[in-house]
Amino acid sequence: MALEKYDPYKHGVTQGVLTTFMRCREEAKNHLAGLSQIRTSSALQFGSMAHRILELVYRKWKKPPTDGELQKVLDFVYKEFMQEDGGRLSPEGLENIHTNLSLLKVVMPAYFNYHKDDFVSSKWMELEEKFCIPSPVEGINLIGRIDGVRMQKKEVWLFESKTKSRIEEDSLTDSLAFDFQTNTYQYAVRHKYKVKPSGVLYNVIRRPGQRLKKDEGLASFAARVDEEIQKDPSYYFLRYEIQIPKSEFARFETELKYVVEEFVQWWKGDLAHYRNTSACKQQYGPCRFLPLCANNDTELYIKREELFPELKD
């Protein structure tokens, strides 16, 4: 099935598209043309699998799952990923997915044990639900999917999960006060529930940095990582409560309007298109389209069938 030509008035905009546009217009153009990398990084695989496990467990269980229950979830998520991505992964990608599964088998039980109060001290209002709301620009809808919304102590909180290998706590908490992604999701929550969220519960799972040793099996590797996690789970599982002042909501709504207006002007061809070479190296590695820009290397990419696969049911 051919990818439908993108039209913001028909399809809406996601915060991901807007963030990409702000970072580099060439990257946004390639993304909206449906190009995706065949090679999925190990870190992205780990994060995607962890998100799926969180969703399934928080949806189904009212108490921390047993080891057997969690193993069934892990097996299910592995089969999902292999069915969707396995056929196009390189040998390195397949090796990564098995390594990540071994890591998640020890990380996730420790996570749910560490955050066992999640099952008794809060009420989930939604988990991984899609939204479609009017943006500040007439005719353009804002679409997306939110990790979670929780009622906690009679207050509404946005729940946002991230997996990171490196965490700089001071800069992280400062930047979250005006983070474009979380502000977009809070904007959606306000429109959906007609209430201002108290802030963001930023849930961080640290991806273990240990490497597989030469001639070491995955079972031994996982046991070694598990031993490190048990020594100090607080190092691996962090959670920040970021309260957002009312003034930030007003400021962000104005900012969002400007960004969407510029994006639509660019899409129409009324705004200049250029490459932002300072964005070739990004927070989590090189830009996904760097080989394409540098060498016109098209062999690393496939054409998606969906404009926004992250919103697929």
Side-chain angles (χ1 to χ4, degrees):
M1 183 173 67
L3 183 74
E4 188 175 2
K5 187 175 181 180
Y6 175 70
D7 181 342
Y9 290 96
K10 178 180 180 181
H11 302 110
V13 293
T14 65
Q15 70 80 24
V17 165
L18 295 175
T19 300
T20 302
F21 165 72
M22 289 188 287
R23 183 168 58 231
C24 177
R25 297 176 188 193
E26 181 73 6
E27 184 183 357
K29 184 196 77 171
N30 288 329
H31 176 71
L32 291 173
L35 293 179
S36 290
Q37 267 188 322
I38 296 174
R39 297 178 183 174
T40 303
S41 76
S42 181
L44 286 176
Q45 279 183 352
F46 181 89
S48 297
M49 295 173 78
H51 265 84
R52 184 67 170 133
I53 294 165
L54 290 172
E55 176 194 356
L56 293 172
V57 170
Y58 281 137
R59 276 188 188 279
K60 185 172 182 180
W61 278 277
K62 304 300 181 186
K63 59 181 180 179
T66 65
D67 289 346
E69 289 169 336
L70 191 51
Q71 183 59 54
K72 289 180 180 179
V73 173
L74 285 159
D75 291 342
F76 177 79
V77 170
Y78 170 73
K79 288 177 183 176
E80 270 191 338
F81 271 74
M82 289 301 293
Q83 184 176 358
E84 187 166 333
D85 296 331
R88 63 172 185 256
L89 287 176
S90 64
E92 180 186 2
L94 289 171
E95 183 180 339
N96 286 339
I97 206 168
H98 288 108
T99 302
N100 280 327
L101 183 67
S102 297
L103 288 173
L104 289 163
K105 283 181 177 179
V106 295
V107 169
M108 298 314 293
Y111 167 87
F112 287 116
N113 182 62
Y114 188 75
H115 287 304
K116 52 182 174 289
D117 286 349
D118 280 352
F119 297 88
V120 294
S121 63
S122 65
K123 177 183 178 183
W124 291 104
M125 298 170 67
E126 64 175 68
L127 279 163
E128 293 289 343
E129 295 291 337
K130 292 187 288 187
F131 63 84
C132 179
I133 60 172
S135 80
V137 175
E138 186 175 355
I140 304 292
N141 283 331
L142 193 63
I143 60 175
R145 188 190 297 273
I146 295 175
D147 285 356
V149 180
R150 302 198 332 181
M151 180 66 72
Q152 188 162 297
K153 298 177 181 177
K154 298 183 179 180
E155 295 178 336
V156 175
W157 286 79
L158 177 71
F159 185 81
E160 180 69 19
S161 291
K162 296 291 183 185
T163 57
K164 295 176 177 289
S165 55
R166 182 181 177 187
I167 302 169
E168 297 175 349
E169 294 192 42
D170 291 342
S171 60
L172 176 66
T173 53
D174 286 343
S175 63
L176 282 174
F178 56 94
D179 177 69
F180 189 83
Q181 180 183 29
T182 53
N183 274 343
T184 301
Y185 292 161
Q186 288 187 94
Y187 176 88
V189 170
R190 293 203 320 277
H191 278 71
K192 192 170 183 178
Y193 293 100
K194 310 302 180 187
V195 62
K196 185 183 82 67
S198 294
V200 183
L201 293 171
Y202 200 72
N203 183 53
V204 181
I205 298 174
R206 190 188 297 270
R207 183 174 181 267
Q210 293 88 339
R211 300 284 184 235
L212 196 64
K213 296 178 180 178
K214 187 178 180 180
D215 300 326
E216 182 181 31
L218 287 176
S220 298
F221 171 60
R224 180 162 57 86
V225 173
D226 186 38
E227 185 177 350
E228 289 301 313
I229 294 174
Q230 299 305 323
K231 287 179 183 177
D232 186 10
S234 65
Y235 175 77
Y236 288 90
F237 312 122
L238 301 95
R239 191 167 288 178
Y240 306 94
E241 289 189 3
I242 312 296
Q243 292 187 318
I244 309 298
K246 289 182 179 180
S247 59
E248 175 59 21
F249 284 101
R251 186 208 62 80
F252 176 73
E253 189 158 341
T254 300
E255 179 181 280
L256 180 62
K257 182 175 184 291
Y258 291 154
V259 173
V260 176
E261 283 177 341
E262 285 193 358
F263 172 78
V264 173
Q265 286 180 311
W266 168 77
W267 171 78
K268 288 179 177 179
D270 296 334
L271 208 62
H273 178 85
Y274 51 83
R275 296 175 180 178
N276 177 15
T277 56
S278 65
C280 294
K281 293 182 179 180
Q282 299 175 6
Q283 184 178 2
Y284 300 109
C287 171
R288 53 190 157 161
F289 297 119
L290 183 57
L292 185 64
C293 288
N295 306 308
N296 198 30
D297 188 347
T298 59
E299 293 185 358
L300 300 176
Y301 304 92
I302 59 170
K303 196 74 174 285
R304 300 191 310 274
E305 293 183 354
E306 300 94 9
L307 281 166
F308 305 116
E310 69 272 22
L311 301 183
K312 186 172 68 174
D313 289 326

